[in-house]
Amino acid sequence: MLSARSLFQEIVDHDEAYRLFCSIAAGGEAQGGWENGRIAALIPEGRRDLAPKAARHGADEDKHGRIFRALLRRRGLEAATVPAAADYTMLLERRGIGLAHDRLRAATPLTEEDVITYLAHSRVTEQRASEQMRLLRKHFGDHPELGRAVRMISQDEDNHLAYCHEELLRLARDGRGRTIQRILRDCALAEIAVHRDVSLAVMDHMGRILGWPAPKAALLAVGIRLHYGYERLVGWRRMVSLRMPERRDALGGPVTEYA
Ligand SMILES: [Fe+2]
Ligand SMILES: [Fe+2]
């Protein structure tokens, strides 16, 4: 039976597949940590209230990177090189989504539109992260090796998403609604395509590592493309809506440490 649970179980049970999974996750999280750290440093004078939240956001992503590296170490595995086609953050940047790394390396403060770009990009990518971690938590939340890590990261990603909703709504109230909607739409449409491409690349590598028969690999590829078709038709809309979260100021405290 092909299910998210059985697929993931196969990956967890196989050292090389698990190594690739954790390495891809660790790389993406560390990248997110760096980006958010730079954003925190470049927040403009008029929006200084955002700086500690962006810094906390970055600290959380750095912590997630450390958690995935700790999971590798616990198995006695070294991080693997992430294949370029599976590098989600790099592919998004190449499509011009979010703030370019050259922009983040510069010392000039962000403009208000840059802040919207940052929050909209995060609104979309944190939705993905939150959904993926909820799926993992549903199936592996009690797993002896992974459970605690998965539960903690899932809760953090939910907080990141709540923070993006709240801050974007605040900017929308200041009259930036049209800009926000335009940027959110561009981000969502690009993200769903990048997510499809990365999923196909990861499944291709996993299939080879796990020795999947061709029909199984083909069926999974069809599933990924069908899912993209659904997201392109209607699913993308869930990534651009804004709703005030139940939990306000979700990033308003220190990082919860993973000991
Ligand atoms: Fe994360
Ligand atoms: Fe996140």
Side-chain angles (χ1 to χ4, degrees):
M1 235 281 279
L2 265 186
S3 64
R5 192 197 151 75
S6 68
L7 274 179
F8 200 71
Q9 190 70 57
E10 252 192 277
I11 292 169
V12 173
D13 290 344
H14 190 288
D15 276 355
E16 198 52 33
Y18 186 69
R19 178 176 177 230
L20 181 63
F21 168 80
C22 290
S23 303
I24 291 173
E29 299 283 6
Q31 190 61 51
W34 178 80
E35 287 172 10
N36 284 293
R38 287 303 302 150
I39 287 161
L42 297 177
I43 292 288
E45 213 42 64
R47 288 305 319 263
R48 285 317 291 174
D49 58 305
L50 264 185
K53 299 175 191 176
R56 159 75 194 275
H57 189 183
D60 277 355
E61 306 299 7
D62 279 337
K63 178 185 71 180
H64 299 169
R66 289 197 301 277
I67 292 176
F68 281 111
R69 287 196 299 277
L71 290 177
L72 280 169
R73 269 200 310 279
R74 204 177 295 168
R75 275 270 182 114
L77 299 169
E78 297 234 335
T81 313
V82 174
D87 193 332
Y88 174 78
T89 44
M90 188 192 70
L91 293 173
L92 278 173
E93 194 204 352
R94 272 213 201 131
R95 282 187 179 243
I97 295 303
L99 296 170
H101 286 178
D102 283 347
R103 175 71 190 84
L104 294 179
R105 273 187 218 102
T108 346
L110 303 180
T111 63
E112 197 185 20
E113 179 141 343
D114 288 337
V115 172
I116 295 174
T117 299
Y118 149 61
L119 286 169
H121 167 266
S122 298
R123 153 79 186 88
V124 169
T125 53
E126 294 296 340
Q127 170 106 30
R128 182 72 71 192
S130 157
E131 288 173 358
Q132 292 197 318
M133 290 313 299
R134 278 169 181 250
L135 184 68
L136 272 182
R137 187 172 66 189
K138 181 171 152 209
H139 297 304
F140 292 87
D142 295 323
H143 191 276
E145 187 178 356
L146 290 174
R148 203 161 62 89
V150 161
R151 289 194 307 274
M152 168 169 267
I153 297 175
S154 175
Q155 188 176 25
D156 288 345
E157 304 301 7
D158 288 350
N159 284 340
H160 300 167
L161 183 57
Y163 151 74
C164 294
H165 276 274
E166 186 177 348
E167 296 303 332
L168 282 169
L169 279 171
R170 191 163 293 148
L171 281 161
R173 269 203 310 271
D174 293 343
R176 304 308 307 267
R178 288 174 81 93
T179 312
I180 292 170
Q181 277 310 317
R182 171 176 56 80
I183 299 177
L184 274 175
R185 184 179 188 278
D186 289 349
C187 281
L189 293 178
E191 196 280 343
I192 60 174
V194 166
H195 176 67
R196 171 202 59 199
D197 294 346
V198 167
S199 302
L200 287 170
V202 172
M203 283 306 153
D204 182 54
H205 280 271
M206 290 298 179
R208 273 184 277 138
I209 292 172
L210 295 164
W212 287 342
K216 179 172 177 175
L219 190 62
L220 275 168
V222 168
I224 291 168
R225 291 184 192 283
L226 282 174
H227 184 69
Y228 171 73
Y230 158 76
E231 291 201 321
R232 182 68 189 79
L233 265 181
V234 286
W236 69 275
R237 292 182 186 278
R238 80 187 187 289
M239 302 181 130
V240 302
S241 62
L242 292 177
R243 198 164 38 86
M244 192 48 92
E246 261 171 47
R247 175 153 189 217
R248 308 282 170 88
D249 197 22
L251 296 186
V255 176
T256 340
E257 268 316 317
Y258 177 81

